[in-house]
Amino acid sequence: MTSPYRLAHDHLLLAVRLTPNGGRDALDGVETTVDGQAHLKARVTAVPEKGKANRALIALLSKALKVPETSISLISGDTARQKILRLTGDPEDLKTRIDALNAN
């Protein structure tokens, strides 16, 4: 299985597929598309207007990974479901935290 992240020297890039208006705030594991790309599935109750869903996604990831919201930034996909997030910090530690989420 491929992973939804790429490691760099001081950060990790995370691919996410976000479902706004999803009925609950939750991370639903990793999914691989037919072209072999992996992403973390997430859903939030926030609506997709004026960045509300993106902010809810960052808050959800911050809580789940136990990292400050300020260490998570949206790199691409501002208005799309497919997003790339940059998580600043020790990439190996972040990788371990994401893998632990996926194991649950």
Side-chain angles (χ1 to χ4, degrees):
M1 181 174 103
T2 60
S3 62
Y5 49 76
R6 288 181 297 167
L7 304 178
H9 74 285
D10 67 343
H11 66 276
L12 176 143
L13 295 178
L14 178 64
V16 177
R17 182 174 193 284
L18 178 63
T19 302
N21 250 352
R24 62 188 169 99
D25 292 342
L27 299 173
D28 296 329
V30 174
E31 180 178 73
T32 304
T33 59
V34 292
D35 63 354
Q37 299 294 319
H39 57 263
L40 180 66
K41 295 188 315 181
R43 65 179 63 223
V44 294
T45 57
V47 294
E49 65 182 35
K50 298 181 182 176
K52 290 178 184 176
N54 291 335
R55 287 191 298 277
L57 171 63
I58 289 171
L60 174 65
L61 279 171
S62 170
K63 184 177 179 181
L65 298 174
K66 297 178 177 64
V67 298
E69 287 185 28
T70 56
S71 70
I72 304 172
S73 57
L74 182 66
I75 298 299
S76 69
D78 187 40
T79 59
R81 286 183 184 251
Q82 297 286 91
K83 302 181 183 299
I84 303 293
L85 299 172
R86 177 186 168 127
L87 286 74
T88 303
D90 176 22
E92 288 297 327
D93 179 49
L94 293 167
K95 173 187 172 297
T96 302
R97 291 172 190 231
I98 292 169
D99 288 341
L101 286 178
N102 197 32
N104 292 336

